[in-house]
Amino acid sequence: MSTGEGTRAVRAGLPEARKYEPTLPGPVFAAHYHLPGEPTGPYAYGRDSNPTWTLLEQAIGELEAPGETGVETVAFASGMAAVSAVLLSQVRAGDAVVLPDDGYQALPLVREQLEGYGVEVRTAPTGGDAQLTALDGAKLLWIETPSNPGLDVCDVRRLADAAHAGGALVAVDNTLATPLGQRPLALGADFAVASGTKGLTGHGDLLLGYVVCRNPALASRVRLWRKVVGAIPGPMEAWLAHRSLATLQLRSDRQCANALALARALSGRAEVTGLRYPGLPEDPSHELAAEQMRRFGSVVSFELPGRDHAERFLAEARLVDDATSFGGVRSSAERRGRWGGDAVAEGFIRFSAGVEDTDDLVADVLRALDAAEG
């Protein structure tokens, strides 16, 4: 039976209906299980597997690769645990890895760790498919599109084809797009990786990560890495994440609509420069994004004239939390340069649109911008 995205999000990963049983069973809190005889069943010890993870992993796989069989998902305690698991389970000393130089802020920390293990790390920007120039002899290509926080987009299929031609694996960070915005496996990636902390679960109340792939051998190495380092999600976090999937389409549609409306409003402001949102027809990445994305995400980035101006804007906003992360039901924004590590101006704002009424959110942002001018 073919279903739409909203129906899929509501039903994904649910067990077969049984009389007197809940639709979504509660979290299973167990370090060990009854285990007479040989350990041939699916659950033996809590670091290896958990029924609550199983349902969540099945649900995420259905969203990342709907209708496909043989897709395997591995859930993690955080997005960075998932990122690290892919990179550190697939490469060895002497291998070369290609990373974006404009990606998530923690990637330089990953680079430092990889280089400490004797792995060669090459970097190139996301825009213009510049990573193509660094692929020769690489073992793994890491793609982040749209990039965070600059929102550049690259051609996943083109990069994946080139990487595979040279014998490299391809991983795509799908955090910003979510499975409803982009399906990396369908575009040729070997791994779809994401922080479920953000848009996937959408409430800013848990940490989670995941890896999805089709190749059982690759998945097995990722799962073994999780077992060795113990980067497992808690059962309560896994259950909350699964529960949150039911509203994923509803949240995504409103967030994307709000982001687009906000971007359009910002485009008319003289003090706003460097505006980026792939959903804007005039955005440099729009044409490519429209080819490989089904939704353009909740994040808008722009610059205000300096640090103080940006801080005044954030202080004046009433419907926008001054907070890091993105993808939540409540709009948030931050002056990204406060952390260091990103190549952004002091007045650079990363804005995450929530699910507030569109008119209210836009009016609040414009009012805050007016107040910040004074």
Side-chain angles (χ1 to χ4, degrees), residues 96 135 137-141 160 162-170 190:
L135 283 178
K139 177 66 179 294
L140 189 146
L141 167 64
H164 289 153
L169 296 169
V170 179
D190 299 291

Side-chain angles (χ1 to χ4, degrees), residues 4-205:
E5 290 180 328
T7 302
R8 190 179 304 118
V10 169
R11 306 295 304 180
L14 297 183
E16 182 179 347
R18 294 181 179 177
K19 192 173 183 178
Y20 306 126
E21 293 291 327
T23 303
L24 177 62
V28 175
F29 298 96
H32 59 267
Y33 305 82
H34 289 296
L35 197 65
E38 294 299 317
T40 57
Y43 306 110
Y45 186 65
R47 193 179 69 253
D48 299 333
S49 55
N50 178 289
T52 310
W53 304 350
T54 299
L55 296 179
L56 173 64
E57 290 172 343
Q58 180 181 334
I60 292 173
E62 290 176 20
L63 297 177
E64 285 280 0
E68 294 192 32
T69 58
V71 173
E72 298 193 33
T73 302
V74 186
F76 286 86
S78 70
M80 280 309 300
V83 170
S84 301
V86 171
L87 288 165
L88 296 174
S89 70
Q90 304 301 322
V91 302
R92 301 288 183 269
D95 289 340
V97 170
V98 181
L99 302 178
D101 64 12
D102 54 350
Y104 181 52
Q105 186 186 58
L107 284 181
L109 301 178
V110 175
R111 174 179 184 167
E112 185 177 310
Q113 195 68 54
L114 287 168
E115 290 177 336
Y117 289 151
V119 175
E120 178 190 354
V121 179
R122 308 167 187 165
T123 63
T126 298
D129 299 340
Q131 289 175 292
L132 286 170
T133 63
L135 283 178
D136 187 34
K139 177 66 179 294
L140 189 146
L141 167 64
W142 189 271
I143 297 170
E144 187 177 303
T145 181
S147 61
N148 174 27
L151 303 183
D152 267 327
V153 173
C154 61
D155 188 331
V156 176
R157 191 176 297 282
R158 181 188 183 200
L159 285 164
D161 287 348
H164 289 153
L169 296 169
V170 179
V172 175
D173 186 330
N174 205 34
T175 302
L176 200 146
T178 82
L180 295 194
Q182 183 171 259
R183 294 181 188 144
L185 297 185
L187 295 170
D190 299 291
F191 303 94
V193 189
S195 168
T197 305
K198 301 176 174 66
L200 188 82
T201 58
H203 292 81
D205 55 7

Side-chain angles (χ1 to χ4, degrees), residues 310-311 313-315 317 319-324 331-335 338:
E311 295 287 2
F313 162 69
L314 293 170
L319 298 181
V320 183
D321 296 336
D322 188 344
T324 195
S331 290
S332 63
E334 69 172 334
R335 191 182 64 79
R338 64 184 175 177

